Amino acid sequence: MAKSFLPLLALAALVLAPPAIAAAPGFTKLTLDSFFYAEGAAIADFTSDGLADVAAGPRIFAGPDFKTSRVYRSPHAFDRLSYSNNFLTFHDDFNRDGRPDILVIGWPGKEAFWFENPGPDRPGDWPQHLAYGNVDTESPGFADVDRDGSLDLVAGSGGRLGYMTRNPRDPQAPWTFHPITPPGQWQRYTHGVGLGDLNGDGRADLLEANGWWEQPASLAGDPVWTFHAQSFGPGGAQMYAYDVNGDSRADVVTSLAAHGYGLSWFEQIAGANGAIAWREHAITSAVPAEKLHGVQFSQPHAVMLVDMDGDGLKDLVTGKRHWAHGDKGDPEPTAPAVLYWFKLTRGPAGVTFTPHLIDDDSGVGCQFPVADLNADGRPDLAIANKRGVFVFLQGNR
């Protein structure tokens, strides 16, 4: 697959003598399947039994032990040296019948479909509906852009960035693309897209590798949003707006290069004449041979920002996408497929993201969900990628 370019370069001081990695917080790994089905997964109660399930590729693995599964669409396992037709997976109740449906983002630049959940007593494939016919970018998001209460698909299409909305009166109708940029260089393999309120006006802005697009007060007529240029690296994975240091300003958290190295948070600071400026703080280094806190890995192609330890602060969860372009196409194809969470701590000396190794034989894909799978109040993970389908149940804190 073609590699893309694109997501602030004012590097903070790097720690040259890192401490040892903190101990893992106790995760139990479950291998649900060893086949390569997809690069993304979803967590919801798809079987209507009150328990959380995992959807990965064509299969739904039933909780609480995930030992049984059913096929909800025509099954297909893929060659690990190639690619799947399922890069990301989300869920929502699209037809409002009380059951979660499944949204599959296929190959970049091709269709996205949603699969209608017919209920647990209906065997066979779920009905398939076209969501949108051309979904570009490799890290689309699923969030409410226009504040109408429905989740939208945040992505590119036809050389522009924007979002796709569904028809509330006809859930089976194809979705509508609302471009927020003029035509540009964005294409199917563009990396690094996100959504969040950066300027504190209550409206979600669109983040991308080259800067951010400020949402206007009105979206009527699909206006072009105001662009603020800023480099967030050459192009990573999902991007987030979050107040990392507690100063009431939204910062940006992202990986720098989906097929390279580096995780950073970009501190929002006051610029000249009231403008927003940025200061970069490295979490892992963009320099291949350099380790921060004893950690370095390549290809952080999927990133989640979520409170993993219940302390009220959002932590960073990511890892190495194993064989993103096969066994020879990227840096360190034979390196361990690591999965980490980085604990956010605020202190007198500033902010730290302390790495905790979850696993070294799974990694990430292009997207993964974090949710409570076993109803114990702790967030768990589901991973689908070229190494298989996995669940990580969090134990002690």
Side-chain angles (χ1 to χ4, degrees):
M1 182 197 315
K3 300 179 188 176
S4 61
F5 0 67
L6 289 123
L8 303 154
L9 269 113
L11 278 169
L14 303 180
V15 180
L16 299 180
I21 300 173
F27 284 83
T28 299
K29 179 181 180 179
L30 306 178
T31 301
L32 310 192
D33 204 310
S34 60
F35 286 103
F36 169 37
Y37 293 122
E39 299 269 14
I43 295 173
D45 179 13
F46 298 111
T47 56
S48 301
D49 62 357
L51 301 172
D53 312 304
V54 173
R59 310 194 75 88
I60 293 172
F61 299 87
D65 58 12
F66 312 103
K67 293 180 179 179
T68 62
S69 66
R70 63 153 294 180
V71 172
Y72 76 92
R73 58 186 175 95
S74 298
H76 188 8
F78 296 89
D79 182 350
R80 288 180 174 84
L81 294 175
S82 185
Y83 309 99
S84 76
N85 64 357
N86 188 165
F87 274 57
L88 302 95
T89 307
F90 301 106
H91 72 87
D92 199 5
D93 182 4
F94 295 109
N95 57 356
R96 300 186 180 179
D97 64 357
R99 294 186 291 265
D101 309 302
I102 297 174
L103 175 65
V104 172
I105 315 300
W107 187 276
K110 293 192 175 183
E111 303 91 346
F113 295 98
W114 70 274
F115 294 84
E116 181 180 349
N117 187 343
D121 301 323
R122 295 278 299 275
D125 285 3
W126 291 8
Q128 174 180 301
H129 307 286
L130 176 67
Y132 197 74
N134 170 227
V135 181
D136 289 341
T137 67
E138 288 203 26
S139 53
F142 195 44
D144 186 1
V145 178
D146 53 7
R147 309 181 300 282
D148 68 350
S150 293
L151 300 179
D152 311 307
L153 186 55
V154 184
S157 188
R160 297 183 175 192
L161 296 178
Y163 59 102
M164 292 99 174
T165 60
R166 62 191 95 163
N167 185 339
R169 294 176 296 278
D170 183 4
Q172 296 185 17
W175 298 9
T176 299
F177 180 60
H178 303 271
I180 65 106
T181 71
Q185 298 299 311
W186 304 282
Q187 37 82 29
R188 60 170 56 189
Y189 302 127
T190 291
H191 293 75
V193 173
L195 194 74
D197 181 7
L198 286 181
N199 57 359
D201 63 2
R203 299 186 290 269
D205 308 304
L206 191 142
L207 291 64
E208 52 119 335
N210 293 325
W212 59 284
W213 297 83
E214 180 181 348
Q215 182 175 159
S218 173
L219 296 176
D222 291 340
V224 171
W225 296 12
T226 301
F227 181 59
H228 302 271
Q230 180 63 61
S231 173
F232 293 104
Q238 291 80 13
M239 303 176 70
Y240 298 93
Y242 179 64
D243 182 5
V244 172
N245 56 1
D247 67 354
S248 299
R249 294 188 179 105
D251 309 301
V252 172
V253 183
T254 185
S255 63
L256 301 180
H259 300 291
Y261 296 84
L263 302 162
S264 287
W265 72 277
F266 296 88
E267 180 184 3
Q268 183 179 155
I269 59 177
N273 300 318
I276 292 175
W278 304 92
R279 179 185 296 125
E280 182 178 1
H281 303 267
I283 300 170
T284 65
S285 179
V287 179
E290 183 172 37
K291 292 184 178 182
L292 302 182
H293 296 283
V295 170
Q296 180 62 305
F297 57 91
S298 63
Q299 302 192 80
H301 207 297
V303 175
M304 282 289 288
L305 197 65
V306 61
D307 182 3
M308 290 297 295
D309 56 359
D311 66 354
L313 300 179
K314 291 187 178 182
D315 310 297
L316 182 66
V317 188
T318 187
K320 179 182 179 68
R321 182 183 172 194
H322 175 69
W323 283 10
H325 297 126
D327 61 346
K328 297 180 178 66
D330 296 290
E332 302 180 309
T334 61
V338 293
L339 177 64
Y340 280 94
W341 75 282
F342 293 79
K343 175 179 171 59
L344 170 60
T345 304
R346 298 171 181 162
V351 163
T352 58
F353 279 92
T354 304
H356 297 260
L357 179 66
I358 298 173
D359 186 53
D360 64 358
D361 192 21
S362 55
V364 299
C366 295
Q367 163 267 337
F368 60 92
V370 179
D372 185 1
L373 277 165
N374 54 3
D376 68 351
R378 300 180 176 94
D380 311 302
L381 289 75
I383 300 291
N385 61 13
K386 292 183 178 180
R387 300 192 75 82
V389 183
F390 308 95
V391 157
F392 294 91
L393 299 175
Q394 186 176 174
N396 63 290
R397 287 195 177 147

